[in-house]
Amino acid sequence: MSDEKKKGTAASAMPTAMAPPGLINKEDIPQVLPILPLRNSVFFPGGVLPLAVGRQKTIALIKDAVRDDQVIGVVTQRRAEEEDPGASDLYTMGTVARIVKLLKMGEDNYSLVVQGLARFRVMELVQEAPYLKARVDAVEDKTSSENVEVEALGINLKKLAREVIELMPELPAAATELVESITHPGHLADLIAANVDVPIEEKQAVLETVDLKARMKLVLELLNRKREILKLSNKIDSAVKGEMSKTQREYYLRQQLKAIKEELGEMGEEEEELDELQERLKKAALPPEVEKVAQKELNRLKTIPAASSEYTVARTYLDWIADLPWSKISEDNLDIENARQQLDKDHFGIKKVKKRILEYLAVRKLKNDMRGPILCLVGPPGVGKTSLGQSVAKATGRKFVRLSLGGVRDEAEIRGHRRTYVGALPGRFIQSMKKAGTKNPVMMLDEIDKLGADFRGDPSAALLEVLDPEQNSTFSDHYLDVAFDLSKVMFVATANQLDPIPGPLRDRMEIIELTGYTFEEKQAIARIHLVPKQLREHGLSGDHIEILDDALLILTTSYTREAGVRNLERRIADICRAVAVEVAGGKLDKQTIGAERVKEILGPEMFYSEVAERTEVPGVATGLAWTAAGGDLLFIEATKMAGKGGMTLTGQLGDVMKESASTALSYLRSKAELLGINPNFLEKTDLHLHFPAGSIPKDGPSAGVTILTALTSLLTGIRVRHDTAMTGEATLRGLVLPVGGIKEKVLAAHRAGIKRVILPERCRKDLIDVPDQARNELEFIFATHMDEVLKAALETSPFKEGAALPAAAAETPPAEVRA
């Protein structure tokens, strides 16, 4: 049990009564007083203080004092935790006190009330047991109370005390009257010092100040500081309480209004919608930063009238936030064999893409936090780039969304519009994520090479962030204005050409090239996929129609000529429609479609080999060209006429192709004697080179060897072999340099019925991408010099017997390969 402690809240509240000082004369104070140590408080003359006593020394002191009816000395301890204080643990100034009331609360507990009488100073301790006794010296105020300055200080003290009491509503109303009733300035200063809430050290300083004016100034300073602290505290408290009470009041009134409307059956649609919206936001499992923004917007929405246009804007925004898949992820099907079977079932060929998808799934199975790949499938139309995305989604067990980028010219289509615009919406990526409903779909970016740019910005530049694995985890849409994670999405882009795609965007994607199909592959695709699909779409079955292999062969060779299979599918659809008319007319017999029946339905053959016809005369050579739709044949025709040595080029040619023609002519003039041509053949002759299909722009260096062959055939009169096509760049010295698009060009030659293909020697490695069927059915000739090309391409050697040929051409015949 603690010893001398103030009871109740006597220290923090003004006492209801306080005796005036001077109730004891200086002569009546004994020279030796029993000392009662006091902790956590300072006792002033004129004060009345309740105490709880529990220490044995103090109990003995109280008993003796009450028995002998003597006064005691109350001195504050320097450290409240000291249990047995000595001389060094007590302050030197204390208060003479009289015990007014004593109550026994228990065996070793007493409660007493003491009254302060006068100040005294401890001179020395004369006894420590059974309790402390000290020799003391009584102290009186030094300044006369009639002093004018003391009177003014007293007025100020009372004024300040009234202000402080007003700022402390917990004080009783009689406190002001008590302060006003005190006339003695020393008593007033002690009363205020005893009841003002300041540290013990400062109160002790007031007790030890004997000079009345100094004491009153010190108390005035303490009281002034207390007033400022109370003012600031009340201001802060009022602000906090005001804000809280306003919020609580609004909440209470809203709950009341809601209850009244529910009772009357008049619950507004707006309130129901907002409650529903709040539940949707909770279920969406938003990231912390997004949840903070959404909650702020929802609170703002509740204060906007439903008729306001701003209400619709805020409501639409929150609907988007609630509907997006912030944390919903579909589980990947990581069964490699299942994925392989699915891809083989849906698509014939395209081994490179299937291999890449299986690699991704294998790594995903071993490492669970892998980011989605960003693939770009590049190839001619109709080879199955778009449908491949659906197969990938099936194989991985993910949702599939398709995003068509063809013709998109506005940057806001990618990043969205800011909400300040009327009718603003998120960009296409956020819309697609909402449609997918999961955070990790397969997203097909169709026709990424068809993006445009105008005054509204460059969409391809906006795609840089979306397709960068290092950035798309914090993709920022202008409409949402919060980060959305796209790193789990598997992006599959498609394009017909790589050239229109900007370099930085191309660098962010893994390019996989798809080329055209061979006749054999087209027939297999038609048998496995196209025919069953068209039968279903036309309401037919195997009981109505059977399309034979020879019908598919003639469809692929004589009615279509393309890298993909779209036109082949249309021709099959034509056959199905013809049969459907007969079935609908009542003819239920099963129809077998062969080559002759195809000709009846589709009419004359649309394509046939014109190579032999075109190369019947000298001056015509067959070249190979690359196009966005795959490879194609390129016929180059040369003729001569009387003139003055000019050369005309027609066929909408680019600068590079024109330069190839000039290079070929210069090479021919330098080799005229070896070829048996008059060295002055240009003096009275004009040449004309024409590239048929003149409406189609043509450019590139790969027609160099074909131009040179056509000119040589024209001037020597030797025809070019009708079963031979060629490609390669020719230099002024006659070297044959490598070119690109070998696979597409070889497939074009195979489709057209060509038997021999002349290629640059350094393109030998590119044959690895050519399908086996084309490699087996074609003869490949690899050349390093133009003389080798001329000997292989023309029906007979153009060189005169005994002519000195370049070392490479003279020593070794052209390399022939039949793979």
Side-chain angles (χ1 to χ4, degrees), residues 9 86 103 143 171 174 208 271 360 367 391 416 423 513 522 524 536 562 712 729 751 762 770 786:
T9 57
L103 294 173
T143 306
L171 293 180
E208 293 180 358
E271 289 87 347
Y360 168 73
K367 188 173 184 291
S391 297
E513 293 190 4
K522 286 185 179 181
R536 286 194 305 271
E562 56 177 342
T712 303
E729 178 181 357
R751 283 197 298 270
R762 286 163 61 184
V770 177
M786 267 311 303

Side-chain angles (χ1 to χ4, degrees), residues 190-237:
D190 289 342
L191 169 68
I192 293 171
N195 292 280
V196 71
D197 188 13
V198 295
I200 298 297
E201 292 78 7
E202 294 186 4
K203 288 190 176 185
Q204 183 67 29
V206 174
L207 182 65
E208 293 180 358
T209 305
V210 179
D211 185 82
L212 187 56
K213 285 196 293 184
R215 190 196 310 163
M216 295 180 76
K217 288 179 181 179
L218 183 57
V219 174
L220 197 61
E221 180 184 338
L222 296 178
L223 198 58
N224 194 47
R225 191 172 70 206
K226 182 64 176 178
R227 180 188 63 176
E228 296 304 318
I229 292 172
L230 285 172
K231 278 186 177 179
L232 183 60
S233 175
N234 286 350
K235 182 179 179 182
I236 294 171
D237 192 47

Side-chain angles (χ1 to χ4, degrees), residues 389 392-393 396 398-401 440-444 489-490 492:
V392 172
T396 56
R398 296 189 178 195
K399 297 281 188 179
F400 175 78
V401 285
N440 61 335
V442 173
M443 188 176 291
M444 172 67 72
V489 179
M490 180 186 287
V492 181

Side-chain angles (χ1 to χ4, degrees), residues 284-285 324-331 399 433 436-441:
L324 286 173
W326 296 96
S327 56
K328 188 177 179 182
I329 296 180
S330 62
E331 186 175 348
K399 297 281 188 179
M433 294 304 292
T438 63
K439 199 176 178 181
N440 61 335

Side-chain angles (χ1 to χ4, degrees), residues 114-126:
V114 293
Q115 177 184 10
L117 303 176
R119 283 176 171 79
F120 71 87
R121 183 175 284 108
V122 177
M123 306 306 293
E124 62 175 338
L125 284 181
V126 296

